[in-house]
Amino acid sequence: MATRQSRRGPGRPPADAPLPELEEILQRGLEAFAELGYEAVSVRQLNERLGMGHTFIHDRYGTKDAFWRAVMESAIRHVTEEVAAAFEKERPTDDLAGLIASVRAFHEANARRPHLTRVMDYESGRDSPRLAYLYELMKPLNDAGRPVFDRLVREGKLRDIPWYLFHFAVTKPLAMYSQAPLARLFGRADDADDHALLSTIVLNGLLT
């Protein structure tokens, strides 16, 4: 007599297997997009990585693109909330302290989410609707930080550089986390706790 396990379709988990929480599903999706790339990964592969039935993405999100958007919205929201909280904690008394705290929080948040940085690196080199979507997700945080940046430049507390240069000076060092195999060859341990040092180096180049 066939068992319940043997009758299940390909790619379908056992009926009694515990289903992952939504946050875990989105995290597994982020890892799949980071490791395989948007174009290369198939819906079938995604469903397998999620540990769900082979129709899960179609049933819940409709398309791979809609699932990708949900994954990126969740990942960027977590980083944005952490950075905004650090910024607002210090900003009421000191704009500069708020900016420093937000840069440190940004590096710490991304050090814990190297897969997000890998996706951002991949998509940032392509002029596409996905890049436009990512830019819109980051826009609220950028819009909040830009006036503070401008004031600190006018006050002489930050180097007088374009906003775009500030952005890349803060974000591009995150390659140390997203390019883990290369960092490993240079001697960085996988469990290195170096985001605070990275922030200090970046800030020393930005502050007057």
Side-chain angles (χ1 to χ4, degrees):
M1 182 176 179
T3 64
R4 191 179 194 179
Q5 171 83 10
S6 64
R7 290 198 304 266
R8 64 189 179 92
R12 184 182 298 278
D16 57 351
L19 296 178
E21 298 290 337
L22 177 60
E23 285 297 315
E24 184 178 350
I25 288 173
L26 296 175
Q27 176 61 31
R28 291 180 186 179
L30 179 64
E31 293 170 5
F33 285 122
E35 294 166 10
L36 302 175
Y38 178 87
E39 288 86 359
V41 68
S42 68
V43 173
R44 179 178 179 178
Q45 287 174 306
L46 286 169
N47 282 322
E48 290 175 352
R49 292 287 292 267
L50 300 180
M52 307 298 289
H54 66 280
T55 64
F56 172 77
I57 289 177
H58 178 268
D59 293 342
R60 177 146 188 173
Y61 296 95
T63 65
K64 180 172 73 169
D65 183 66
F67 178 63
W68 179 88
R69 288 173 180 247
V71 165
M72 298 312 299
E73 182 179 347
S74 174
I76 291 178
R77 183 183 70 251
H78 286 309
V79 173
T80 298
E81 289 174 350
E82 291 182 33
V83 173
F87 182 69
E88 292 301 330
K89 182 178 179 181
E90 301 293 341
R91 183 185 174 188
T93 56
D94 188 340
D95 274 348
L96 182 58
L99 181 135
I100 291 173
S102 65
V103 169
R104 293 190 180 281
F106 179 76
H107 286 166
E108 180 179 2
N110 281 277
R112 289 185 275 105
R113 298 177 178 86
H115 292 95
L116 172 59
T117 304
R118 287 180 67 178
V119 173
M120 295 294 294
D121 286 346
Y122 178 83
E123 298 295 346
S124 295
R126 295 159 178 79
D127 191 0
S128 69
R130 291 196 303 277
L131 177 59
Y133 184 74
L134 292 175
Y135 183 77
E136 287 302 312
L137 290 179
M138 295 184 293
K139 196 172 185 297
L141 188 62
N142 289 332
D143 288 348
R146 180 65 185 271
V148 177
F149 168 83
D150 289 338
R151 283 198 299 271
L152 291 172
V153 169
R154 289 195 301 270
E155 294 170 2
K157 296 177 181 178
L158 277 179
R159 292 186 182 277
D160 188 2
I161 60 176
W163 171 246
Y164 74 84
L165 191 55
F166 174 84
H167 167 79
F168 284 106
V170 171
T171 62
K172 286 304 134 181
L174 295 175
M176 183 169 67
Y177 308 122
S178 63
Q179 299 174 14
L182 178 60
R184 199 176 298 123
L185 290 175
F186 273 98
R188 181 180 183 270
D190 289 339
D191 60 350
D193 184 12
D194 46 19
H195 62 82
L197 177 58
L198 176 64
S199 298
T200 298
I201 294 170
V202 170
L203 289 166
N204 282 346
L206 293 172
L207 304 177
T208 57

